[in-house]
Amino acid sequence: MGSYRSVMTVDPPEAGTPFERAARDFVIDQVWSRPGLARRERRWVTLTCVGAADAQQPIEDQIFAALNSDDITIDEMLEFVLHFAVYNGWPKASHLEGVIRRQWARVRNARGLDATVRPPDDAELGSTDRSERIAAGTREFIDVNLIDAPAPDTPYIHAGILNFVFGHVWRRPGLGRRDRRFITVASVAVCDAALPLASHVGSALGSGDITKAEMDEVVLQLAAYSGFAKGEALHATAEAAWARLGH
């Protein structure tokens, strides 16, 4: 799983500097090759890291590799953009979507295939009744976070968290909850968001959607792409959450 060709789907460049050698020999050959986490899940963590970091060439390279490997479909990748936008901001997500369209065309044109992007199904928008959306968002918040939902007494909670984030985005069928967990945990870790980090790491482990062994691999993958200081914060949070769960 960890060879440069299998991860990046192109031949490795010449490694002439210490950074280039470490990127090939450590990040690709050692981190990506570890058996504790599937390549698809490593892609979610990596895409989130490079997208949040505004890393221009890595964004191009990682999106191309994810699509060219067929590890992630174009529909899943575009759904990722929406989930990413919630946790990392709309301007960063807008850039990601532009790169995805460009790299999708590159992949499809190389294969002699149509690069048209399928419009989303209107049914994915869910109920247009506000009270139904708030009720559904409240239930989803509880299911995802494993705690009671906050009272909808501010615009942020009412219109943002309960109506949109949990009343809509987390309930969309384009990605499963497990995929959304990996994207969210990586997002709150790279954003240094202490309270959301504790909440989402704890609920990912408490729900069983991500095992402790998998979370340990997420820590290493994130450290490789967002820095070991952020990896240390995620590691400490995961250890504390695991202890609270009685392990």
Side-chain angles (χ1 to χ4, degrees), residues 148-232:
D148 290 337
D153 54 6
T154 68
Y156 170 74
I157 298 297
H158 183 265
I161 296 298
L162 298 181
N163 174 62
F164 183 66
V165 177
F166 290 97
H168 177 60
V169 175
W170 274 88
R171 299 176 65 235
R172 288 174 60 86
L175 285 176
R177 182 172 293 181
R178 177 174 158 85
D179 287 325
R180 295 186 186 278
R181 294 278 195 197
F182 285 106
I183 298 163
T184 304
V185 166
S187 294
V188 295
V190 299
C191 290
D192 305 311
L195 184 58
L197 180 60
S199 173
H200 282 291
V201 169
S203 60
L205 292 170
S207 65
D209 290 338
I210 299 179
T211 68
K212 179 57 166 58
E214 289 174 328
M215 188 66 77
D216 291 342
E217 293 296 328
V218 170
V219 170
L220 179 58
Q221 190 78 18
L222 182 130
Y225 285 92
S226 287
F228 276 72
K230 292 183 188 291
E232 174 59 30

Side-chain angles (χ1 to χ4, degrees), residues 14 24 50 52 98 111 146 149 165 219 229 238:
E14 199 68 36
R24 180 196 63 195
V50 297
R111 300 177 185 182
L146 307 181
V165 177
V219 170

Side-chain angles (χ1 to χ4, degrees), residues 2 13 24 31-32 45 80 95 104 139 143-144 148 173 176 182 212 216 246:
R24 180 196 63 195
V31 176
W32 280 84
V45 175
F80 158 74
H95 178 71
W104 177 242
R139 292 191 299 271
D143 287 346
V144 170
D148 290 337
F182 285 106
K212 179 57 166 58
D216 291 342

Side-chain angles (χ1 to χ4, degrees), residues 15-234:
T17 68
F19 170 79
E20 290 170 335
R21 289 193 294 273
R24 180 196 63 195
D25 298 342
F26 173 65
V27 177
I28 298 295
D29 290 348
Q30 295 186 42
V31 176
W32 280 84
S33 66
R34 291 175 60 85
L37 198 63
R39 192 171 66 192
R40 174 185 168 90
E41 281 70 52
R42 292 187 186 278
R43 292 213 188 274
W44 289 135
V45 175
T46 304
L47 288 166
T48 301
C49 289
V50 297
D54 303 313
Q56 301 300 304
Q57 193 58 49
I59 289 172
E60 299 275 353
D61 294 343
Q62 293 295 337
I63 286 174
F64 171 75
L67 292 171
N68 196 42
S69 65
D70 297 315
D71 287 341
I72 299 173
T73 69
I74 183 60
D75 290 339
E76 290 172 328
M77 189 70 86
L78 293 172
E79 191 68 31
F80 158 74
V81 173
L82 177 59
H83 199 94
F84 176 95
V86 167
Y87 291 96
N88 297 278
W90 296 88
K92 293 176 187 287
S94 178
H95 178 71
L96 281 182
E97 179 141 321
V99 175
I100 288 167
R101 288 179 179 274
R102 182 164 59 251
Q103 294 299 342
W104 177 242
R106 174 188 173 189
V107 169
R108 299 292 281 182
N109 290 339
R111 300 177 185 182
L113 299 172
D114 180 34
T116 301
V117 174
R118 179 183 65 85
D121 186 346
D122 287 344
E124 293 176 352
L125 295 174
S127 173
T128 58
D129 182 273
R130 177 60 65 88
S131 62
E132 290 180 4
R133 284 278 285 272
I134 295 298
T138 299
R139 292 191 299 271
E140 190 73 11
F141 183 99
I142 294 169
D143 287 346
V144 170
N145 293 288
L146 307 181
I147 58 175
D148 290 337
D153 54 6
T154 68
Y156 170 74
I157 298 297
H158 183 265
I161 296 298
L162 298 181
N163 174 62
F164 183 66
V165 177
F166 290 97
H168 177 60
V169 175
W170 274 88
R171 299 176 65 235
R172 288 174 60 86
L175 285 176
R177 182 172 293 181
R178 177 174 158 85
D179 287 325
R180 295 186 186 278
R181 294 278 195 197
F182 285 106
I183 298 163
T184 304
V185 166
S187 294
V188 295
V190 299
C191 290
D192 305 311
L195 184 58
L197 180 60
S199 173
H200 282 291
V201 169
S203 60
L205 292 170
S207 65
D209 290 338
I210 299 179
T211 68
K212 179 57 166 58
E214 289 174 328
M215 188 66 77
D216 291 342
E217 293 296 328
V218 170
V219 170
L220 179 58
Q221 190 78 18
L222 182 130
Y225 285 92
S226 287
F228 276 72
K230 292 183 188 291
E232 174 59 30
L234 177 56

